[in-house]
Every structure is written in C-alpha cells, then in structure tokens.
Amino acid sequence: MYPDHAPQVPAQRAVEVHQPTPYPHAVPVPAPVVPVQPGALPAVASIVLPDGRVVTGYAIDPARAEPVAVKPAVSRTAVNVALGGVGFLAVCGGLILLTSFIAALTAFITQLIILAAVIFGGWIAVQIFSTSGHQGGTTVTIRKAVIKRNHFNG
C-alpha cells in the first residue's frame, strides 16, 4: 500500500501537492468545419489547440430530439360516450341473437311434438283400420262371464 514499505503511520507521512501548470491565454482558433457526405463515414477532423497541440478525431453531430407527433385533442367525455355506445350496441345485438335463438328452439320443439303426434296417431290408425281377419265392426268375446244384477264376476 505504501511505496517505501516503511512502518510509518499515514498521518506522519509527507504529502505532496501537485498543482496544474496553466497554459498561457491565447486567442482561441475556431475548429475547421469538415463537410460530411450523407450515408458515408465522416472525414477525420484535426483541431489545433492554442498551445500548438493537434487533436484528431471524428466530428460528432449533436443528438437531435425526435419531433413530437401532434395528437389531436379528444375529450374524455367523447371517448366515454363512444365506448358506451359501442357497449350498448353489443348488448342489443346479443339480446336480438338470444331472442332469435329462443324462437328457433321453440319452433324446433313444436315441430318435434307435432311429428310425434302424427307418428303416434298414424300408428293408432293402423291398429284400428288394419284387417287382421275381422269383417268390419268390433268383436268382443267374453268367456265364462256370469252377469248377475249389475255385477260382473269372471
């Protein structure tokens, strides 16, 4: 840590103070302007300082801020009214679709009931009007029936 490796306490050590050497004031020479071709590498610029030293490097363009896009002023009330209108139309459309679905389902169920009635009625008609050996009319056969005073015992 200490260059002389002496067992000295830091407070007892001598402190050296370095003062910068001032340059004599001279008239500043403006830096030469080097034109830069767009899309190509910029040329190397050299600047001569007042004390005679030469500094060489690329010229750096200052950063330009992006232009801010001007937005049209839209009030919050207009946005809220527009969103409310869109929501209202969506709800109305949903209700119309729901009503149409319920009407279609009711018509479908009604048609199923009518179809079942036609099929069942047709089956009953076939049973009644079929000729299974009968000559027309209805025949009822009662066997071993004893009818006494309005009582049926069988």
Side-chain angles (χ1 to χ4, degrees), residues 44-154:
V44 178
S46 297
I47 300 173
V48 179
L49 297 178
D51 63 347
R53 293 183 296 165
V54 177
V55 178
T56 304
Y58 291 106
I60 298 174
D61 291 334
R64 294 184 185 123
E66 291 288 326
V68 178
V70 178
K71 295 182 180 177
V74 179
S75 68
R76 286 185 180 220
T77 305
V79 172
N80 290 339
V81 168
L83 289 177
V86 169
F88 179 75
L89 289 177
V91 169
C92 289
L95 289 176
I96 289 173
L97 287 176
L98 180 64
T99 305
S100 300
F101 175 74
I102 290 173
L105 187 63
T106 303
F108 179 69
I109 291 173
T110 303
Q111 289 177 356
L112 285 180
I113 291 172
I114 291 172
L115 180 65
V118 168
I119 291 174
F120 186 66
W123 181 77
I124 290 175
V126 167
Q127 295 300 319
I128 290 175
F129 296 116
S130 67
T131 56
S132 61
H134 298 293
Q135 296 287 335
T138 304
T139 305
V140 177
T141 306
I142 299 175
R143 295 183 187 170
K144 298 182 184 178
V146 178
I147 299 173
K148 263 188 188 178
R149 293 191 184 182
N150 300 327
H151 290 291
F152 178 76
N153 298 317

